[in-house]
Each structure stands twice: as C-alpha cells, then as structure tokens.
Amino acid sequence: MTVLKLRSAGAVRLCLSVLLLLCALGATLASAAINTHNLGARYDASQANISFRVYSSRATRIEVWLYKTPSGAQEVVRYVLTRDAATQVWSKTASVATLKNSYGLTGTVYYGYRAWGPNWTYSSAWTKGSATGFISDVDNSGNRFNPNKLLLDPYALEMSQDPNTPSCTDGTIYASGASHRNKDSGACAPKGIVLAPITVSTGTKPTRALKDDVVYEVHVRGLTKSDTTVPTALRGTYAGAALKAGYLASLGVTAVEFLPVQETQNDSNDVNPTSTAGDNYWGYMTLNYFAPDRRYSSDKTPGGPTREWRAMVKAFHDAGIKVYIDVVYNHTGEGGAWGGSDGLTVYNIQSWRGLDNPTYYSLTSDLKYSWDNTGVGGNYNTRNPIAQNLIIDSLAYWRDSLGVDGFRYDLASVLGNTCQHGCFNFDKMDAGNALNRIVNELPPRAAGGGSGVDHIAEPWAIGGNSYQVGGFPSGWAEWNGKYRDALRKKQNQMGVETVTPGELASRFAGSSDLYGDDGRKPWHSVNFMVAHDGFTLRDLYAYNSKQNNQPWPFGPSDGGDDSNHSWDQAGIAVDQRKAARTGLAFMMLSAGVPMITGGDEMLRTQFGNNNVYNLDSAANWLDWSLDSNETNHQTYTSRLIAFRKAHPALRPLNFYSASDTNGNVMEQLRWFKPDGGVADAAYFNNANNHAIAWRIDGSEFGDPASAIYVAYNGWSGMVNFTLPWPGAGKQWYRVTDTATWNEGPNAVALPGSEAFIGGEWTVYGVQGRSLLLLIAK
C-alpha cells in the first residue's frame, strides 16, 4: 500500500506539473516570439540605416554615443533616443550615409549608451566627468543612473574589448561612490559592435536523443592551448577546437560542452602571466550574453569571433557532435558591491545596472543593495519578465544564429526564483519562473530525438531552498550531484560514509527516486564523477585533500570544497588507476547520460588543486603528451564508450520496468547478492554490505547481447560472485575487469575477443574495489 500511495502522489504531482506548464505556455504565448522589440543595434535589409533600440523603464534620457575606434578615443557623434511609452523601448535610427559624410564614420561602428534617471537628472550643462545633475548614487527606488559611465548594450552581438586592458588598467572608472562617480569611462569602456549579417554555415545539427549522448565538458582555451599538433596561431581558439572534432568523435563523444564562451573579463590574464590575482580563466562572470568571447578567436576583427565560432560549430556538427555551452544567468560580470570609502554604495556600472537596475537585478527589500544567492555577485533578477526576455532572446540567438544544440545552466536554481527583491524562493511549480519560460519557449528535444534543445541544469546555488537535485520541472535534465556523491563515498570512504546498496542501485538504474515522480526519465540524470569544478578523475583517487596553495603554475587558488569524498588509495599508483577505471565504468554502465571532463580520458591531473578557476596556465591546459598509462586509459575510455553505444540496454528510454500488452510487468533488471541470490530489502538497506551485482535483460531492448551483467565489489578484499542465468543456450564472456591485473591497452576487450567465463553458477572472484562487466552470448 505504501508503494501505491507514493505512486498516487507522484501521479498527482505530475498532473499538477503538466497543468501548470500548460498554463504557463498559454500565459507566455504572446511573448514566445524571439526579441519582439528588436533590441540591439542592427543594419536594415539595405544596410543603409542602423537602428539602436534599448530597454529602460526608469530612465529619463538615453543617448547613444558612436565611436570610430574601440578604445582610447572620444565619440564622433551622439544621438538622443526616443522612448515608446507602451514598451519602454528607447530607439534611434541613424543613416549610414550621414555617419559617413557628416562624421567620417566609415567601416565598423562602435557604440555605447549614457543614461540619466531620477537619481541623476539630465542637465544640458552636464559634461563628461562632471557631477551636474547628481542627486545620489542610489535612490529609494533602486535607480543607479550615472551618465559618466558609458554603458554596453545588453543586446550587443559582439564587444570591442574587455573593460580592463593593458592600456586601461584602472577598474575604478566604472565605479560609483564619492571617489569614483565622476570618472568618465567612455574612452576605455567596451563598446558594442554593429555587425553586418554573417553567413558562415553552422552545418546540420545532430538530432540524436539525449539518452544516447556522451558529454565531454571542456574549456575552449584549455582544449588546445598546449596541443603541439595544432598550429601555434590557432591554439586555444575556436578554430583550434574545431581541429579536435575528429579526435572527440573517435573517442566516442557525442556532445562537447564548453565552459562559458560568452564575453567576460579575461584578456587581463595575460598582463602578468605568472600571477593568479584576479585572473578569470573559467569565465563565470558574463559581460554580455550574445557575444562570443573574442579571446578565443584567432580572428579578432569585428565579426571575426562570430564567424570563427560558427565555423567551429560546423566542424563538430559535421563529425556528428552536438555543441553545448555553459551559460550563467544567475549573476553578471558587473558583480556585487565592493569596498572603498563608501562601503556598500560602491558598485560597477557597465551595462544593465546603469540602464534599469531593479529590472535586471534582485535587490534587498529597501532596493539599495544587491541580493546575493550565488556568492559571486548580486543575483540576476530571473523573476522579472523583461530580464527573462533577455535570457530567452540570448538563448535563441545562440541556438538559431550560432548553431548551439543545448545549454548547461550555471547555478540554475536561481532561474526558479519566484520573487524579485528582498527574498529568494525556488518553486518549480510556479508558471512564471524563468525555468518554465525557457522550456516553453525553447522546446526541449523529444525523448526519441529530433529537433529541440537539450536543457541541463546545475541544480543548486547557495542558501535558502536552492539545493534542488531532482527538484526541477519537466523538460529539464540535471547534473546529478547525488549520483556523484553517493558513488564517491562508496568507492572512497567505506566505513566513514554511509551508503546503502539500495542507494547505489537507485543511482546505477537512473535515479528514479529523483526523476520518476514528475514524469522525467533516466536520461534526465546527467551522471558524473567529476566536473570542471573540483578534482579531475585522476586527482579524485590521488589526493586526500585539496592542494590549492601551491605556487604558480599549479596555484595558488582560493576557495574550493573541503569535502571531496576523495582518497589517495594509500598512495599506491596501480590502485589509483584501478579506481579511475572503476569510476569511469560506473558512469558508462549506468542509466542516464554520462559526462566526463576534458582530459579524464587520459588521466589528466590538476596536481590536487580543486578550484582552478584562476589558473590560465600550462598546468591547467590539457596536456597531450601522454605516457603509456595515460594512453592505456585513453584506449580504455574509448572502448568503454563504444560498448555503451553498442548496447541500447544501457541507455533505457524509461526506467528499468515495462509492461506487456496485458499489463503484466516484465523484469528488465534484477539485482543480486554476491552469492547469486536475489537482493532483497534487508540486503539493500544494510549499509554494511558493499557488494552488489545486476543483470539487464538485453532482449527487452533489442540489444545484441541477450544479457549484461555487472558486479561491483566495494570491499577492500576479494569477493566471489556467483553468476546468474545468462539466457537459454548462452554463456558469460568478460568485457572488462577493472582489477589491477587487467591493465594495458586491452583492458576492455574488443567485440569478438571477450574471454569465456562460464554459465550459470560459475563463481568469479572480483578484486577489492573493482568492477566486472560480462555479456551473454
């Protein structure tokens, strides 16, 4: 009866979820069209005119300032924009002929905005760098207008340069407060670039179902910066990454997931290459949500980053690989408050904050300061419909114009916020949150594949009810942090952390306890042992604690989690490699979508640093000079991926149960104790049991193997497993055993070369902390 009650409750929740999503779809239908207000700067069809359009509900005056050069010069012309009272969109159309003939503005047009509002009123006597019209840095309505700060268009398609450059090192020119408010930022501030249409093809998008993907998370720069097979000028660039498409395809990767590639402050990394202070390598401080980062382009001319990005996407698409990008809509690169003589009144004003602060940011209840639920700056106001529009519009631009197939959303719980100012509350059932708008207006890919977007959440943030693994609405896949933690604990912390065989079984079988109650499926669980944020796969089994205070180039890095569930395997190298093989096998043999981090296939190390966000160094870039152990692990990875792809039973569309035409449940998966007996509740619930095995009936999936058998021994010593029935007329053959005796290039047998083991009741000894994989044939 308990099971029936749980199923009934799940059905109710599913119905409510579907109902609310349908309501949300109807509610947002009018805004479902992309960028309905044509925000941004665009040429018309004849390229005879440029329209400038920007949103602000609170400004009293906005001007667009045009420049001949990206930096170091003053404007050549300025125009006053006109406000549409119905839409709060400010606009101006400029004639290209006038710009050329009257102002000598030919070629690329660079632009930015200056805005006035209630806290800084307009006066014709105002000049750059003056306080004329100033009332306060922030008023009781949250306005932070400051005309001394040139503002980047939130809808700019490319940026001219970073805010801080070797010739513009003073970051205080963007700040508010008594010491900084009158500093003019115009000459140094990044400008928007008015782009002419770009026609470089992004190729044909793969339509593969998400359940069939293998995701490879990697940094664009780190992928090739140290790769000597890539031409020097292309290393660390989009063009360089394109040259790795063939390699990733041969590895078996079907989706490459790039760390943030939208513009961020990172050119300053090169100002002092041996210093980590302030370096932004990962890129989680977005300055513009539309522009591909110029630093990763070998062609930095206007339009060059966009063209090179599109060409790279085509290279991956031609290899059958999807392209995902990591997006950061929970905070921006403007950041939160920082110190100085004015304390919390000092904020950077570079874009959104200077145009409409309370629209684009969540604020405290008095509207004076940022509300911070991320730990890295004030929250983006994901509850506001206008701020949501920018999210939707930028996602659609990357999908439609830049060829992206899916998105990983950083700290995605912030997208589920249901209030704007003075609070935070995640509610997946709320029809008006950003989560539901995203999946309604950018439809997810269907279960069986086809067109659509793959939406993947990092389902946590900081504080409140932001930890939401398993708590996202329909249409969302998630990084399954509970999968990672449970398997790490079981593998590395026996006797220290409690993980029952039942929890292991749930994780291996797709985490139905997390995703089955709201209609989601196993493939909504993205299974991972490590990610960019933390240890590498190799380091997870080689260090007991983080090693972040090392000197350059291995550190120092501040922060980093102190609870990694890691273990150095008593310093025994052969056991460390065994553990890495076992951890990788966990993912490739589990229901769900496996994700590996770039370099894990070749045992990459970060030398124990678990927070390398600031290390733009050779120690952090992928090292392609491999020793024999690393080459062997690379082969092991590719063969294990190939095995997964060859066996649909490992990639179930639904959780491991099915019914025949009469409604009778057919057993697709059975769990076993080491002695061959079926695992019951008593065995599953006993945390002192550390060995579990399971048999998948391949015939239910049209699998070439009639059965697949996996045994995991989490004990420290050998455990004998009695094998189950392999099927009528079948015998068991070994694909891999992760034990120390099975190292080398053939640790995973090629199809047809699997070693004969025996039939039912055969006893097989599995080494401590090892995994066995058999197929029946």
Side-chain angles (χ1 to χ4, degrees):
M1 291 300 295
T2 300
V3 172
L4 289 175
K5 287 180 181 178
L6 286 172
R7 286 179 177 174
S8 179
V12 170
R13 286 192 294 271
L14 175 58
C15 291
L16 285 172
S17 179
V18 170
L19 180 60
L20 280 171
L21 287 177
L22 288 173
C23 292
L25 179 59
T28 59
L29 197 58
S31 61
I34 304 305
N35 195 3
T36 54
H37 297 309
N38 296 313
L39 298 177
R42 305 286 188 277
Y43 285 99
D44 62 14
S46 65
Q47 298 193 40
N49 299 286
I50 301 173
S51 65
F52 299 92
R53 297 174 62 83
V54 64
Y55 176 90
S56 178
S57 64
R58 296 162 178 266
T60 56
R61 181 182 177 95
I62 298 179
E63 297 179 359
V64 61
W65 291 40
L66 307 185
Y67 297 78
K68 285 185 178 181
T69 59
S71 181
Q74 300 303 316
E75 76 285 355
V76 295
V77 61
R78 63 183 77 169
Y79 293 112
V80 178
L81 277 65
T82 301
R83 182 175 72 95
D84 183 324
T87 63
Q88 306 298 324
V89 172
W90 298 70
S91 64
K92 172 65 180 178
T93 298
S95 162
V96 172
T98 300
L99 294 179
K100 175 182 178 181
N101 298 328
S102 300
Y103 304 107
L105 186 51
T106 59
T108 302
V109 175
Y110 302 93
Y111 72 102
Y113 296 112
R114 295 188 190 260
W116 290 259
N119 68 297
W120 195 312
T121 59
Y122 175 74
S123 169
S124 59
W126 173 85
T127 58
K128 291 178 290 185
S130 79
T132 303
F134 171 78
I135 299 174
S136 63
D137 286 311
V138 58
D139 63 17
N140 291 331
S141 297
N143 296 307
R144 287 186 176 273
F145 294 100
N146 185 331
N148 289 315
K149 314 304 178 182
L150 188 76
L151 305 176
L152 179 68
D153 183 356
Y155 278 72
L157 299 183
E158 281 191 5
M159 269 174 56
S160 60
Q161 80 274 346
D162 287 353
N164 296 335
T165 65
S167 60
C168 292
T169 58
D170 182 8
T172 67
I173 63 172
Y174 303 106
S176 60
S179 300
H180 312 299
R181 69 172 71 102
N182 295 338
K183 295 177 180 178
D184 183 71
S185 67
C188 286
K191 283 82 175 172
I193 296 174
V194 184
L195 285 188
I198 293 174
T199 59
V200 175
S201 172
T202 59
T204 301
K205 289 188 174 186
T207 58
R208 183 184 311 103
L210 180 57
K211 77 178 185 67
D212 296 326
D213 278 322
V214 175
V215 181
Y216 188 90
E217 186 207 30
V218 72
H219 193 285
V220 168
R221 180 171 168 87
L223 178 60
T224 63
K225 188 61 179 173
S226 288
D227 190 343
T228 58
T229 68
V230 173
T232 303
L234 302 185
R235 294 176 194 169
T237 69
Y238 304 130
L243 298 177
K244 303 302 289 186
Y247 162 75
L248 291 179
S250 69
L251 186 65
V253 167
T254 65
V256 59
E257 179 179 304
F258 288 116
L259 269 66
V261 293
Q262 295 163 327
E263 277 281 12
T264 189
Q265 172 73 58
N266 55 14
D267 284 349
S268 57
N269 296 9
D270 292 327
V271 173
N272 184 353
T274 62
S275 171
T276 62
D279 279 3
N280 176 13
Y281 175 64
W282 282 349
Y284 288 92
M285 293 295 283
T286 309
L287 292 170
N288 179 278
Y289 290 111
F290 292 82
D293 199 318
R294 292 164 305 98
R295 188 163 193 250
Y296 307 143
S297 181
S298 63
D299 178 0
K300 293 179 171 58
T301 62
T306 301
R307 289 188 294 270
E308 190 166 317
W309 168 269
R310 289 172 61 96
M312 179 202 71
V313 170
K314 183 178 188 302
F316 282 109
H317 284 170
D318 288 350
I321 296 174
K322 296 176 182 175
V323 176
Y324 297 161
I325 64 169
D326 198 331
V327 289
V328 188
Y329 293 110
N330 54 79
H331 70 282
T332 79
E334 276 186 309
W338 54 279
S341 60
D342 298 286
L344 292 180
T345 64
V346 180
Y347 283 80
N348 284 340
I349 299 175
Q350 298 170 311
S351 182
W352 307 274
R353 185 168 285 130
L355 285 166
D356 203 324
N357 186 43
T359 288
Y360 288 114
Y361 290 107
S362 289
L363 306 175
T364 52
S365 57
D366 62 3
L367 303 180
K368 293 294 182 68
Y369 311 120
S370 294
W371 181 275
D372 188 353
N373 204 48
T374 64
V376 287
N379 282 22
Y380 187 77
N381 188 0
T382 64
R383 179 61 176 179
N384 185 283
I386 298 300
Q388 288 179 0
N389 286 348
L390 186 146
I391 294 174
I392 299 294
D393 294 343
S394 59
L395 291 171
Y397 178 74
W398 283 88
R399 178 194 65 180
D400 301 336
S401 296
L402 299 181
V404 168
D405 304 282
F407 303 92
R408 180 267 188 189
Y409 298 79
D410 182 65
L411 303 182
S413 295
V414 177
L415 297 170
N417 194 12
T418 58
C419 56
Q420 295 195 49
H421 303 303
C423 54
F424 176 87
N425 181 58
F426 178 95
D427 183 1
K428 75 173 182 181
M429 305 299 284
D430 185 276
N433 67 28
L435 291 174
N436 287 318
R437 272 202 65 184
I438 288 170
V439 296
N440 287 338
E441 299 186 34
L442 303 170
R445 197 180 312 277
S451 62
V453 177
D454 297 323
H455 296 289
I456 302 171
E458 181 186 38
W460 50 78
I462 297 174
N465 63 341
S466 64
Y467 186 81
Q468 291 292 335
V469 175
F472 273 59
S474 179
W476 284 89
E478 300 175 20
W479 274 19
N480 190 344
K482 292 186 177 180
Y483 179 99
R484 171 200 61 196
D485 293 345
L487 271 63
R488 282 187 179 191
K489 290 175 183 178
K490 197 67 175 178
Q491 195 179 11
N492 287 333
Q493 295 181 291
M494 182 174 59
V496 177
E497 293 280 358
T498 299
V499 179
T500 65
E503 182 172 0
L504 275 189
S506 293
R507 302 297 158 248
F508 287 135
S511 296
S512 62
D513 58 325
L514 300 177
Y515 305 108
D517 66 339
D518 57 5
R520 289 188 292 169
K521 303 297 182 181
W523 43 274
H524 288 111
S525 173
V526 175
N527 301 326
F528 67 108
M529 294 298 292
V530 300
H532 73 275
D533 190 358
F535 283 140
T536 64
L537 187 70
R538 179 175 184 168
D539 290 356
L540 178 64
Y541 307 110
Y543 294 91
N544 294 324
S545 60
K546 65 184 184 184
Q547 309 292 311
N548 294 7
N549 292 323
Q550 302 175 71
W552 176 268
F554 312 112
S557 303
D558 58 2
D561 202 333
D562 293 318
S563 180
N564 298 282
H565 311 300
S566 63
W567 179 41
D568 71 353
Q569 320 298 310
I572 302 171
V574 68
D575 285 340
Q576 293 171 352
R577 295 193 295 272
K578 173 182 71 174
R581 291 195 299 275
T582 302
L584 186 70
F586 283 162
M587 294 187 295
M588 294 304 161
L589 301 175
S590 295
V593 179
M595 183 188 79
I596 64 175
T597 303
D600 280 349
E601 78 276 17
M602 48 196 181
L603 293 177
R604 170 181 174 248
T605 181
Q606 291 170 179
F607 305 93
N609 190 326
N610 76 345
N611 197 38
V612 296
Y613 73 97
N614 62 329
L615 296 185
D616 199 347
S617 74
N620 200 17
W621 306 326
L622 271 61
D623 182 0
W624 294 93
S625 58
L626 309 183
D627 63 25
S628 60
N629 289 321
E630 292 164 340
T631 299
N632 289 339
H633 192 79
Q634 190 179 50
T635 302
Y636 172 86
T637 302
S638 65
R639 291 188 181 183
L640 205 55
I641 292 174
F643 181 85
R644 177 181 180 84
K645 293 168 75 172
H647 293 279
L650 299 173
R651 301 175 276 109
L653 183 64
N654 300 296
F655 293 105
Y656 282 114
S657 63
S659 300
D660 62 18
T661 54
N662 296 317
N664 300 310
V665 175
M666 300 181 293
E667 191 168 79
Q668 296 179 332
L669 181 150
R670 177 173 286 188
W671 301 96
F672 294 97
K673 298 180 291 185
D675 64 8
V678 174
D680 55 15
Y683 188 84
F684 274 135
N685 294 329
N686 188 344
N688 293 319
N689 294 325
H690 300 285
I692 190 71
W694 64 98
R695 178 190 184 278
I696 303 173
D697 185 348
S699 63
E700 297 290 340
F701 301 92
D703 198 287
S706 60
I708 297 172
Y709 177 81
V710 182
Y712 170 59
N713 173 19
W715 293 97
S716 57
M718 180 81 71
V719 168
N720 290 323
F721 283 80
T722 299
L723 304 184
W725 182 59
K730 306 291 185 180
Q731 300 289 323
W732 291 113
Y733 290 79
R734 185 177 63 234
V735 177
T736 193
D737 185 328
T738 64
T740 55
W741 58 262
N742 191 33
E743 285 204 285
N746 293 307
V748 176
L750 290 170
S753 65
E754 303 91 347
F756 172 75
I757 300 301
E760 187 177 13
W761 310 118
T762 297
V763 175
Y764 188 106
V766 178
Q767 194 179 87
R769 299 189 174 93
S770 294
L771 179 144
L772 170 69
L773 170 62
L774 307 177
I775 58 170
K777 61 178 185 175

